[in-house]
Amino acid sequence: MPLVALGLHHEQALRAFEADFDAAGEAHMPGWFADLAWSHARRVEVVSGWERGEGLEGGQVACTTRFLEVEGELTGVVNVRHELTACLRFVGGHVGYAVRPSARRRGHGTALLRGGLDVCARLGIERALVTCDATNDGSIAVIRRHGGRAFEREARAGKPDVLRFWVPTQ
Ligand SMILES: CC(C)(COP(=O)(O)OP(=O)(O)OC[C@H]1O[C@@H](n2cnc3c(N)ncnc32)[C@H](O)[C@@H]1OP(=O)(O)O)[C@@H](O)C(=O)NCCC(=O)NCCS
């Protein structure tokens, strides 16, 4: 499945992608951080700048964002952090990803994490840190599918425990 960088031509497709999460009552999209208030052109520019390490704010590290595009529809997003900070080591890790609710259980999550791991490999990251809530059965299954091994579980106040996995990138 093809992973693509966000382009100017994706404005309508991105709107539909975000509306899908809204309709399902999911406010949080792991892997997608561009401000909703920005114009589409600004989002394209800022997100591509982050990949080159430009325009980073408040502890943010360079990151690569790719969408899964299937027949003109954006079905998922993956974001690869080029390095880890203490904050990302706690939760977030190298790779965050999300599939739009209407397209789940069709293998897109599996393809997205594969794409994210390929980006990690190109960056020289041999094993990627991937974290998720201990209650997130879908993500746990996808991570394990790629050889991820949980090495830590940590309790958090008012939130599910966080699981941390190392996943080989090649
Ligand atoms: C987690 C997520 C990315 C999985 O995406 P997906 O496209 O449904 O994943 P896949 O279709 O590749 O699923 C692969 C396997 O994972 C398992 N799986 C997926 N969703 C599951 C769920 N909700 N419950 C239990 N198992 C699940 C299944 O074994 C599935 O294979 P199957 O459909 O053949 O049974 C998606 O549910 C999502 O975007 N969730 C919200 C954001 C999120 O949690 N991101 C990860 C942050 S760490």
Side-chain angles (χ1 to χ4, degrees):
M1 290 189 205
L3 286 186
V4 297
L6 186 70
L8 289 171
H9 61 290
H10 285 128
E11 184 165 6
Q12 298 302 328
L14 182 62
R15 203 169 289 154
F17 177 78
E18 291 173 332
D20 203 325
F21 286 86
D22 260 359
E26 293 186 27
H28 178 55
M29 279 176 252
W32 182 230
F33 305 108
D35 199 312
L36 287 171
W38 295 344
S39 69
H40 184 70
R42 172 123 198 263
R43 291 166 127 200
V44 171
E45 187 188 330
V46 171
V47 169
S48 71
W50 289 342
E51 194 167 331
R52 299 185 297 274
E54 296 166 10
L56 304 171
E57 289 178 359
Q60 193 187 0
V61 297
C63 58
T64 298
T65 304
R66 293 290 180 268
F67 284 84
L68 195 57
E69 185 171 24
V70 180
E71 293 169 5
E73 195 178 65
L74 300 179
T75 62
V77 64
V78 60
N79 177 265
V80 175
R81 277 66 86 161
H82 296 190
E83 59 187 296
L84 294 175
T85 59
C87 186
L88 288 168
R89 276 178 207 282
F90 180 67
V91 68
H94 285 107
V95 187
Y97 61 110
V99 174
R100 65 194 285 172
S102 65
R104 290 182 186 161
R105 303 301 291 262
R106 296 186 212 156
H108 294 187
T110 301
L112 274 173
L113 182 55
R114 180 66 262 157
L117 294 171
D118 291 344
V119 172
C120 288
R122 287 197 289 277
L123 291 166
I125 299 164
E126 290 178 6
R127 55 176 198 167
L129 178 67
V130 184
T131 73
C132 75
D133 290 358
T135 51
N136 191 340
D137 292 336
S139 192
I140 292 168
V142 169
I143 294 166
R144 290 209 168 116
R145 230 173 219 195
H146 290 296
R149 296 280 172 271
F151 68 98
E152 267 172 359
R153 178 178 183 131
E154 190 166 342
R156 290 180 293 175
K159 288 185 178 174
D161 292 359
V162 59
L163 286 178
R164 302 191 184 99
F165 296 79
W166 288 119
V167 190
T169 62
Q170 302 204 8

